[in-house]
Amino acid sequence: EVQLVETGGNLVQPGGSLRLSCVVSGFDVNDSYMNWVRQAPGKGPEWVSVIYTGGSTWSADSVKGRFIISRDSSQNTVYLQMNSLGVDDTAIYYCARSFGLLSHFDYWGQGTQVTVSS
Amino acid sequence: EIVLTQSPGTLSLSPGERATLSCRASQRVSGTYLAWYQQKFGQAPRLLIHGASRRATGIPDRFSGSGSGTDFTLTISRLEPEDVAVYYCQQYGSVPGTFGQGTKVAIK
């Protein structure tokens, strides 16, 4: 059975940092395109970052230079290091699998809440 | 980036009725790279349709997708109480992939 479980969300002050984790079971993260997708309250989802099977990464302009996606194949886990957080980064963050940069998302985790507030 | 506009904002129908949800793109969507997701309250989005018309694994055949270019449609042929949710479209024909703002489906 495929499962993606995100953790690490929290309340953080503007300018702060957080690291999110996504533990995957049922498939190998090395063989998949793994993404972070976020959803602000009352809004549609927004793609954030992807890590390719080969290890290359790509991020949305809104987070470029602040967020870093990575993976640990020994733990079958994907991470999102988030720095210089602002109030606009407040959202539920989901881990999701895709088939490339231009792809739909077939498996999603349950999400983890990130709130940026003073 | 491509902006997706979904209509109506809310759709309220009786069980057994047909639901028609629209997704209009600000520019032509390359190929048929359009997906639909269902999001129930407090849950993650769930893939329903990809490639504009291909049902994902395990999705009931009352859900169908159609369209091309800038106009796409999700149809629920016979609405069931369990279909209460917000439905999102997503284009992935150009970078960055973008989502619509959603259509809420409610039962009368």
Side-chain angles (χ1 to χ4, degrees):
Chain A
E1 182 192 5
V2 172
Q3 272 197 312
L4 294 77
V5 179
E6 303 95 332
T7 57
N10 211 332
L11 171 64
V12 62
Q13 290 189 337
S17 298
L18 274 179
R19 189 177 85 152
L20 307 182
S21 300
C22 171
V23 178
V24 175
S25 56
F27 65 88
D28 190 335
V29 298
N30 274 345
D31 296 335
S32 303
Y33 292 79
M34 296 302 299
N35 301 260
W36 288 95
V37 179
R38 68 184 180 183
Q39 188 171 27
K43 304 290 188 183
E46 176 193 15
W47 171 77
V48 173
S49 294
V50 63
I51 183 164
Y52 289 18
T53 53
S56 300
T57 64
W58 190 275
S59 292
D61 287 346
S62 58
V63 306
K64 204 168 286 184
R66 300 189 298 125
F67 290 11
I68 301 170
I69 187 172
S70 62
R71 69 186 178 207
D72 181 341
S73 55
S74 68
Q75 302 292 319
N76 215 37
T77 299
V78 180
Y79 302 98
L80 186 67
Q81 177 66 43
M82 305 187 295
N83 301 320
S84 302
L85 285 162
V87 294
D88 289 345
D89 296 315
T90 294
I92 297 174
Y93 283 73
Y94 296 99
C95 176
R97 187 179 80 166
S98 69
F99 300 92
L101 178 59
L102 294 176
S103 171
H104 58 279
F105 305 101
D106 64 343
Y107 289 111
W108 298 66
Q110 86 291 347
T112 187
Q113 176 70 51
V114 172
T115 303
V116 185
S117 175
S118 54
Chain B
E1 72 180 39
I2 295 179
V3 176
L4 300 178
T5 302
Q6 294 186 240
S7 61
T10 302
L11 196 53
S12 185
L13 297 168
S14 299
E17 287 194 298
R18 183 185 193 89
T20 302
L21 286 66
S22 173
C23 176
R24 179 161 288 176
S26 61
Q27 306 168 43
R28 183 180 176 278
V29 174
S30 183
T32 50
Y33 294 148
L34 194 288
W36 290 93
Y37 300 84
Q38 175 193 67
Q39 187 174 34
K40 296 184 178 180
F41 183 77
Q43 297 184 16
R46 172 195 179 198
L47 178 68
L48 295 177
I49 301 284
H50 63 95
S53 61
R54 300 177 184 177
R55 269 189 302 276
T57 303
I59 302 303
D61 60 7
R62 66 178 182 275
F63 291 92
S64 63
S66 63
S68 64
T70 59
D71 289 297
F72 297 86
T73 300
L74 175 70
T75 302
I76 310 173
S77 59
R78 298 170 305 280
L79 198 64
E80 298 196 3
E82 69 209 50
D83 299 333
V84 168
V86 179
Y87 292 81
Y88 295 98
C89 56
Q90 176 218 0
Q91 69 78 23
Y92 50 96
S94 61
V95 177
T98 51
F99 291 82
Q101 84 284 10
T103 290
K104 181 178 180 180
V105 173
I107 295 286
K108 279 184 183 175

PDB file of all heavy atoms in Angstrom, chain A residues 27-56:
ATOM      1  N   PHE A  27       6.638   2.687  -2.610  1.00  0.00           N
ATOM      2  CA  PHE A  27       7.445   2.899  -3.811  1.00  0.00           C
ATOM      3  C   PHE A  27       8.743   3.596  -3.409  1.00  0.00           C
ATOM      4  O   PHE A  27       8.861   4.130  -2.308  1.00  0.00           O
ATOM      5  CB  PHE A  27       6.691   3.695  -4.889  1.00  0.00           C
ATOM      6  CG  PHE A  27       6.352   5.111  -4.526  1.00  0.00           C
ATOM      7  CD1 PHE A  27       7.243   6.150  -4.762  1.00  0.00           C
ATOM      8  CD2 PHE A  27       5.115   5.416  -3.960  1.00  0.00           C
ATOM      9  CE1 PHE A  27       6.926   7.457  -4.431  1.00  0.00           C
ATOM     10  CE2 PHE A  27       4.791   6.721  -3.626  1.00  0.00           C
ATOM     11  CZ  PHE A  27       5.698   7.740  -3.855  1.00  0.00           C
ATOM     12  N   ASP A  28       9.702   3.594  -4.313  1.00  0.00           N
ATOM     13  CA  ASP A  28      11.034   4.135  -4.048  1.00  0.00           C
ATOM     14  C   ASP A  28      11.089   5.592  -4.509  1.00  0.00           C
ATOM     15  O   ASP A  28      10.823   5.886  -5.676  1.00  0.00           O
ATOM     16  CB  ASP A  28      12.055   3.293  -4.827  1.00  0.00           C
ATOM     17  CG  ASP A  28      13.489   3.601  -4.442  1.00  0.00           C
ATOM     18  OD1 ASP A  28      13.755   4.726  -3.963  1.00  0.00           O
ATOM     19  OD2 ASP A  28      14.351   2.718  -4.631  1.00  0.00           O
ATOM     20  N   VAL A  29      11.455   6.498  -3.611  1.00  0.00           N
ATOM     21  CA  VAL A  29      11.507   7.917  -3.977  1.00  0.00           C
ATOM     22  C   VAL A  29      12.556   8.172  -5.057  1.00  0.00           C
ATOM     23  O   VAL A  29      12.468   9.144  -5.803  1.00  0.00           O
ATOM     24  CB  VAL A  29      11.766   8.835  -2.761  1.00  0.00           C
ATOM     25  CG1 VAL A  29      10.624   8.710  -1.763  1.00  0.00           C
ATOM     26  CG2 VAL A  29      13.104   8.546  -2.098  1.00  0.00           C
ATOM     27  N   ASN A  30      13.570   7.313  -5.143  1.00  0.00           N
ATOM     28  CA  ASN A  30      14.613   7.482  -6.170  1.00  0.00           C
ATOM     29  C   ASN A  30      14.059   7.240  -7.571  1.00  0.00           C
ATOM     30  O   ASN A  30      14.602   7.746  -8.552  1.00  0.00           O
ATOM     31  CB  ASN A  30      15.757   6.504  -5.932  1.00  0.00           C
ATOM     32  CG  ASN A  30      16.776   7.036  -4.953  1.00  0.00           C
ATOM     33  OD1 ASN A  30      16.784   8.223  -4.658  1.00  0.00           O
ATOM     34  ND2 ASN A  30      17.613   6.166  -4.453  1.00  0.00           N
ATOM     35  N   ASP A  31      12.990   6.475  -7.678  1.00  0.00           N
ATOM     36  CA  ASP A  31      12.411   6.111  -8.973  1.00  0.00           C
ATOM     37  C   ASP A  31      11.232   6.990  -9.359  1.00  0.00           C
ATOM     38  O   ASP A  31      10.546   6.715 -10.352  1.00  0.00           O
ATOM     39  CB  ASP A  31      11.946   4.649  -8.950  1.00  0.00           C
ATOM     40  CG  ASP A  31      13.100   3.674  -8.774  1.00  0.00           C
ATOM     41  OD1 ASP A  31      14.235   4.040  -9.128  1.00  0.00           O
ATOM     42  OD2 ASP A  31      12.859   2.565  -8.269  1.00  0.00           O
ATOM     43  N   SER A  32      10.995   8.036  -8.565  1.00  0.00           N
ATOM     44  CA  SER A  32       9.815   8.869  -8.776  1.00  0.00           C
ATOM     45  C   SER A  32      10.171  10.346  -8.744  1.00  0.00           C
ATOM     46  O   SER A  32      11.182  10.731  -8.167  1.00  0.00           O
ATOM     47  CB  SER A  32       8.771   8.595  -7.690  1.00  0.00           C
ATOM     48  OG  SER A  32       8.415   7.240  -7.654  1.00  0.00           O
ATOM     49  N   TYR A  33       9.330  11.167  -9.356  1.00  0.00           N
ATOM     50  CA  TYR A  33       9.427  12.615  -9.232  1.00  0.00           C
ATOM     51  C   TYR A  33       8.608  12.992  -7.998  1.00  0.00           C
ATOM     52  O   TYR A  33       7.402  12.754  -7.957  1.00  0.00           O
ATOM     53  CB  TYR A  33       8.870  13.301 -10.471  1.00  0.00           C
ATOM     54  CG  TYR A  33       9.694  13.094 -11.707  1.00  0.00           C
ATOM     55  CD1 TYR A  33       9.606  11.904 -12.430  1.00  0.00           C
ATOM     56  CD2 TYR A  33      10.553  14.075 -12.171  1.00  0.00           C
ATOM     57  CE1 TYR A  33      10.375  11.702 -13.572  1.00  0.00           C
ATOM     58  CE2 TYR A  33      11.322  13.890 -13.317  1.00  0.00           C
ATOM     59  CZ  TYR A  33      11.229  12.701 -14.010  1.00  0.00           C
ATOM     60  OH  TYR A  33      11.977  12.503 -15.137  1.00  0.00           O
ATOM     61  N   MET A  34       9.274  13.561  -7.017  1.00  0.00           N
ATOM     62  CA  MET A  34       8.592  13.888  -5.773  1.00  0.00           C
ATOM     63  C   MET A  34       8.457  15.396  -5.639  1.00  0.00           C
ATOM     64  O   MET A  34       9.396  16.157  -5.908  1.00  0.00           O
ATOM     65  CB  MET A  34       9.352  13.319  -4.581  1.00  0.00           C
ATOM     66  CG  MET A  34       9.411  11.788  -4.560  1.00  0.00           C
ATOM     67  SD  MET A  34       7.767  11.025  -4.558  1.00  0.00           S
ATOM     68  CE  MET A  34       7.079  11.665  -3.033  1.00  0.00           C
ATOM     69  N   ASN A  35       7.287  15.815  -5.214  1.00  0.00           N
ATOM     70  CA  ASN A  35       6.935  17.235  -5.193  1.00  0.00           C
ATOM     71  C   ASN A  35       6.441  17.677  -3.820  1.00  0.00           C
ATOM     72  O   ASN A  35       5.955  16.852  -3.030  1.00  0.00           O
ATOM     73  CB  ASN A  35       5.785  17.508  -6.175  1.00  0.00           C
ATOM     74  CG  ASN A  35       6.108  17.140  -7.594  1.00  0.00           C
ATOM     75  OD1 ASN A  35       6.454  17.964  -8.424  1.00  0.00           O
ATOM     76  ND2 ASN A  35       5.963  15.846  -7.913  1.00  0.00           N
ATOM     77  N   TRP A  36       6.527  18.964  -3.607  1.00  0.00           N
ATOM     78  CA  TRP A  36       5.798  19.618  -2.531  1.00  0.00           C
ATOM     79  C   TRP A  36       4.779  20.560  -3.183  1.00  0.00           C
ATOM     80  O   TRP A  36       5.129  21.323  -4.096  1.00  0.00           O
ATOM     81  CB  TRP A  36       6.723  20.384  -1.599  1.00  0.00           C
ATOM     82  CG  TRP A  36       7.545  19.474  -0.728  1.00  0.00           C
ATOM     83  CD1 TRP A  36       8.809  19.023  -0.956  1.00  0.00           C
ATOM     84  CD2 TRP A  36       7.135  18.880   0.513  1.00  0.00           C
ATOM     85  NE1 TRP A  36       9.223  18.194   0.064  1.00  0.00           N
ATOM     86  CE2 TRP A  36       8.218  18.086   0.981  1.00  0.00           C
ATOM     87  CE3 TRP A  36       5.979  18.945   1.302  1.00  0.00           C
ATOM     88  CZ2 TRP A  36       8.175  17.363   2.180  1.00  0.00           C
ATOM     89  CZ3 TRP A  36       5.927  18.225   2.491  1.00  0.00           C
ATOM     90  CH2 TRP A  36       7.019  17.455   2.913  1.00  0.00           C
ATOM     91  N   VAL A  37       3.551  20.461  -2.716  1.00  0.00           N
ATOM     92  CA  VAL A  37       2.453  21.287  -3.198  1.00  0.00           C
ATOM     93  C   VAL A  37       1.810  21.900  -1.969  1.00  0.00           C
ATOM     94  O   VAL A  37       1.590  21.200  -0.984  1.00  0.00           O
ATOM     95  CB  VAL A  37       1.419  20.443  -3.981  1.00  0.00           C
ATOM     96  CG1 VAL A  37       0.263  21.332  -4.452  1.00  0.00           C
ATOM     97  CG2 VAL A  37       2.067  19.736  -5.154  1.00  0.00           C
ATOM     98  N   ARG A  38       1.511  23.188  -2.001  1.00  0.00           N
ATOM     99  CA  ARG A  38       0.915  23.825  -0.825  1.00  0.00           C
ATOM    100  C   ARG A  38      -0.456  24.389  -1.153  1.00  0.00           C
ATOM    101  O   ARG A  38      -0.793  24.637  -2.311  1.00  0.00           O
ATOM    102  CB  ARG A  38       1.825  24.910  -0.274  1.00  0.00           C
ATOM    103  CG  ARG A  38       1.983  26.126  -1.169  1.00  0.00           C
ATOM    104  CD  ARG A  38       3.000  27.097  -0.555  1.00  0.00           C
ATOM    105  NE  ARG A  38       3.193  28.294  -1.373  1.00  0.00           N
ATOM    106  CZ  ARG A  38       4.072  29.252  -1.082  1.00  0.00           C
ATOM    107  NH1 ARG A  38       4.835  29.145   0.004  1.00  0.00           N
ATOM    108  NH2 ARG A  38       4.200  30.306  -1.866  1.00  0.00           N
ATOM    109  N   GLN A  39      -1.237  24.586  -0.103  1.00  0.00           N
ATOM    110  CA  GLN A  39      -2.597  25.111  -0.270  1.00  0.00           C
ATOM    111  C   GLN A  39      -2.890  26.088   0.854  1.00  0.00           C
ATOM    112  O   GLN A  39      -3.009  25.688   2.020  1.00  0.00           O
ATOM    113  CB  GLN A  39      -3.609  23.965  -0.280  1.00  0.00           C
ATOM    114  CG  GLN A  39      -5.016  24.389  -0.638  1.00  0.00           C
ATOM    115  CD  GLN A  39      -5.944  23.204  -0.851  1.00  0.00           C
ATOM    116  OE1 GLN A  39      -5.741  22.117  -0.287  1.00  0.00           O
ATOM    117  NE2 GLN A  39      -6.980  23.387  -1.656  1.00  0.00           N
ATOM    118  N   ALA A  40      -2.975  27.351   0.493  1.00  0.00           N
ATOM    119  CA  ALA A  40      -3.313  28.384   1.462  1.00  0.00           C
ATOM    120  C   ALA A  40      -4.805  28.286   1.802  1.00  0.00           C
ATOM    121  O   ALA A  40      -5.597  27.741   1.013  1.00  0.00           O
ATOM    122  CB  ALA A  40      -2.985  29.752   0.897  1.00  0.00           C
ATOM    123  N   PRO A  41      -5.211  28.809   2.949  1.00  0.00           N
ATOM    124  CA  PRO A  41      -6.614  28.707   3.370  1.00  0.00           C
ATOM    125  C   PRO A  41      -7.571  29.245   2.308  1.00  0.00           C
ATOM    126  O   PRO A  41      -7.423  30.367   1.829  1.00  0.00           O
ATOM    127  CB  PRO A  41      -6.659  29.554   4.644  1.00  0.00           C
ATOM    128  CG  PRO A  41      -5.266  29.541   5.160  1.00  0.00           C
ATOM    129  CD  PRO A  41      -4.376  29.491   3.952  1.00  0.00           C
ATOM    130  N   GLY A  42      -8.545  28.413   1.906  1.00  0.00           N
ATOM    131  CA  GLY A  42      -9.570  28.834   0.955  1.00  0.00           C
ATOM    132  C   GLY A  42      -9.105  28.979  -0.478  1.00  0.00           C
ATOM    133  O   GLY A  42      -9.845  29.497  -1.327  1.00  0.00           O
ATOM    134  N   LYS A  43      -7.892  28.527  -0.791  1.00  0.00           N
ATOM    135  CA  LYS A  43      -7.333  28.679  -2.140  1.00  0.00           C
ATOM    136  C   LYS A  43      -7.112  27.320  -2.806  1.00  0.00           C
ATOM    137  O   LYS A  43      -7.158  26.278  -2.152  1.00  0.00           O
ATOM    138  CB  LYS A  43      -5.975  29.407  -2.069  1.00  0.00           C
ATOM    139  CG  LYS A  43      -6.026  30.756  -1.392  1.00  0.00           C
ATOM    140  CD  LYS A  43      -6.755  31.775  -2.229  1.00  0.00           C
ATOM    141  CE  LYS A  43      -6.628  33.163  -1.615  1.00  0.00           C
ATOM    142  NZ  LYS A  43      -7.398  34.172  -2.388  1.00  0.00           N
ATOM    143  N   GLY A  44      -6.858  27.367  -4.109  1.00  0.00           N
ATOM    144  CA  GLY A  44      -6.475  26.152  -4.809  1.00  0.00           C
ATOM    145  C   GLY A  44      -5.041  25.786  -4.490  1.00  0.00           C
ATOM    146  O   GLY A  44      -4.270  26.605  -3.989  1.00  0.00           O
ATOM    147  N   PRO A  45      -4.657  24.546  -4.772  1.00  0.00           N
ATOM    148  CA  PRO A  45      -3.268  24.137  -4.528  1.00  0.00           C
ATOM    149  C   PRO A  45      -2.289  24.929  -5.389  1.00  0.00           C
ATOM    150  O   PRO A  45      -2.652  25.477  -6.429  1.00  0.00           O
ATOM    151  CB  PRO A  45      -3.267  22.653  -4.916  1.00  0.00           C
ATOM    152  CG  PRO A  45      -4.698  22.222  -4.836  1.00  0.00           C
ATOM    153  CD  PRO A  45      -5.483  23.430  -5.245  1.00  0.00           C
ATOM    154  N   GLU A  46      -1.035  24.962  -4.942  1.00  0.00           N
ATOM    155  CA  GLU A  46       0.045  25.651  -5.649  1.00  0.00           C
ATOM    156  C   GLU A  46       1.279  24.756  -5.606  1.00  0.00           C
ATOM    157  O   GLU A  46       1.755  24.406  -4.524  1.00  0.00           O
ATOM    158  CB  GLU A  46       0.348  27.000  -5.002  1.00  0.00           C
ATOM    159  CG  GLU A  46       1.521  27.734  -5.636  1.00  0.00           C
ATOM    160  CD  GLU A  46       2.018  28.909  -4.793  1.00  0.00           C
ATOM    161  OE1 GLU A  46       1.670  29.000  -3.607  1.00  0.00           O
ATOM    162  OE2 GLU A  46       2.767  29.736  -5.336  1.00  0.00           O
ATOM    163  N   TRP A  47       1.806  24.409  -6.783  1.00  0.00           N
ATOM    164  CA  TRP A  47       3.012  23.613  -6.834  1.00  0.00           C
ATOM    165  C   TRP A  47       4.187  24.437  -6.305  1.00  0.00           C
ATOM    166  O   TRP A  47       4.309  25.630  -6.613  1.00  0.00           O
ATOM    167  CB  TRP A  47       3.288  23.162  -8.265  1.00  0.00           C
ATOM    168  CG  TRP A  47       4.617  22.522  -8.431  1.00  0.00           C
ATOM    169  CD1 TRP A  47       4.986  21.262  -8.068  1.00  0.00           C
ATOM    170  CD2 TRP A  47       5.787  23.135  -8.970  1.00  0.00           C
ATOM    171  NE1 TRP A  47       6.310  21.054  -8.355  1.00  0.00           N
ATOM    172  CE2 TRP A  47       6.823  22.189  -8.916  1.00  0.00           C
ATOM    173  CE3 TRP A  47       6.056  24.405  -9.494  1.00  0.00           C
ATOM    174  CZ2 TRP A  47       8.103  22.456  -9.368  1.00  0.00           C
ATOM    175  CZ3 TRP A  47       7.336  24.679  -9.954  1.00  0.00           C
ATOM    176  CH2 TRP A  47       8.343  23.709  -9.886  1.00  0.00           C
ATOM    177  N   VAL A  48       5.077  23.781  -5.510  1.00  0.00           N
ATOM    178  CA  VAL A  48       6.186  24.476  -4.860  1.00  0.00           C
ATOM    179  C   VAL A  48       7.540  24.027  -5.424  1.00  0.00           C
ATOM    180  O   VAL A  48       8.325  24.839  -5.908  1.00  0.00           O
ATOM    181  CB  VAL A  48       6.150  24.257  -3.333  1.00  0.00           C
ATOM    182  CG1 VAL A  48       7.398  24.821  -2.664  1.00  0.00           C
ATOM    183  CG2 VAL A  48       4.879  24.874  -2.739  1.00  0.00           C
ATOM    184  N   SER A  49       7.823  22.718  -5.322  1.00  0.00           N
ATOM    185  CA  SER A  49       9.144  22.218  -5.716  1.00  0.00           C
ATOM    186  C   SER A  49       9.034  20.772  -6.172  1.00  0.00           C
ATOM    187  O   SER A  49       8.123  20.050  -5.760  1.00  0.00           O
ATOM    188  CB  SER A  49      10.137  22.276  -4.551  1.00  0.00           C
ATOM    189  OG  SER A  49      10.432  23.583  -4.166  1.00  0.00           O
ATOM    190  N   VAL A  50      10.001  20.351  -7.007  1.00  0.00           N
ATOM    191  CA  VAL A  50      10.090  18.966  -7.457  1.00  0.00           C
ATOM    192  C   VAL A  50      11.545  18.519  -7.400  1.00  0.00           C
ATOM    193  O   VAL A  50      12.455  19.322  -7.616  1.00  0.00           O
ATOM    194  CB  VAL A  50       9.533  18.797  -8.896  1.00  0.00           C
ATOM    195  CG1 VAL A  50      10.343  19.601  -9.905  1.00  0.00           C
ATOM    196  CG2 VAL A  50       9.470  17.324  -9.298  1.00  0.00           C
ATOM    197  N   ILE A  51      11.747  17.236  -7.087  1.00  0.00           N
ATOM    198  CA  ILE A  51      13.066  16.629  -7.222  1.00  0.00           C
ATOM    199  C   ILE A  51      12.928  15.485  -8.203  1.00  0.00           C
ATOM    200  O   ILE A  51      12.059  14.616  -8.070  1.00  0.00           O
ATOM    201  CB  ILE A  51      13.663  16.185  -5.862  1.00  0.00           C
ATOM    202  CG1 ILE A  51      15.074  15.630  -6.048  1.00  0.00           C
ATOM    203  CG2 ILE A  51      12.756  15.202  -5.125  1.00  0.00           C
ATOM    204  CD1 ILE A  51      15.875  15.539  -4.756  1.00  0.00           C
ATOM    205  N   TYR A  52      13.772  15.495  -9.221  1.00  0.00           N
ATOM    206  CA  TYR A  52      13.701  14.512 -10.297  1.00  0.00           C
ATOM    207  C   TYR A  52      14.312  13.190  -9.857  1.00  0.00           C
ATOM    208  O   TYR A  52      15.057  13.129  -8.881  1.00  0.00           O
ATOM    209  CB  TYR A  52      14.479  15.016 -11.510  1.00  0.00           C
ATOM    210  CG  TYR A  52      13.878  16.163 -12.272  1.00  0.00           C
ATOM    211  CD1 TYR A  52      12.905  16.984 -11.721  1.00  0.00           C
ATOM    212  CD2 TYR A  52      14.304  16.451 -13.556  1.00  0.00           C
ATOM    213  CE1 TYR A  52      12.373  18.042 -12.428  1.00  0.00           C
ATOM    214  CE2 TYR A  52      13.790  17.507 -14.284  1.00  0.00           C
ATOM    215  CZ  TYR A  52      12.828  18.302 -13.708  1.00  0.00           C
ATOM    216  OH  TYR A  52      12.319  19.352 -14.426  1.00  0.00           O
ATOM    217  N   THR A  53      14.085  12.159 -10.641  1.00  0.00           N
ATOM    218  CA  THR A  53      14.708  10.871 -10.368  1.00  0.00           C
ATOM    219  C   THR A  53      16.230  10.995 -10.371  1.00  0.00           C
ATOM    220  O   THR A  53      16.920  10.371  -9.566  1.00  0.00           O
ATOM    221  CB  THR A  53      14.279   9.832 -11.405  1.00  0.00           C
ATOM    222  OG1 THR A  53      14.524  10.350 -12.723  1.00  0.00           O
ATOM    223  CG2 THR A  53      12.794   9.511 -11.278  1.00  0.00           C
ATOM    224  N   GLY A  54      16.774  11.827 -11.234  1.00  0.00           N
ATOM    225  CA  GLY A  54      18.211  11.994 -11.318  1.00  0.00           C
ATOM    226  C   GLY A  54      18.800  12.904 -10.253  1.00  0.00           C
ATOM    227  O   GLY A  54      20.024  13.040 -10.150  1.00  0.00           O
ATOM    228  N   GLY A  55      17.923  13.544  -9.461  1.00  0.00           N
ATOM    229  CA  GLY A  55      18.394  14.393  -8.375  1.00  0.00           C
ATOM    230  C   GLY A  55      18.298  15.884  -8.643  1.00  0.00           C
ATOM    231  O   GLY A  55      18.446  16.691  -7.726  1.00  0.00           O
ATOM    232  N   SER A  56      18.041  16.269  -9.898  1.00  0.00           N
ATOM    233  CA  SER A  56      17.860  17.700 -10.185  1.00  0.00           C
ATOM    234  C   SER A  56      16.613  18.210  -9.506  1.00  0.00           C
ATOM    235  O   SER A  56      15.681  17.448  -9.240  1.00  0.00           O
ATOM    236  CB  SER A  56      17.749  17.926 -11.692  1.00  0.00           C
ATOM    237  OG  SER A  56      18.904  17.489 -12.353  1.00  0.00           O
TER     238      SER A  56
END
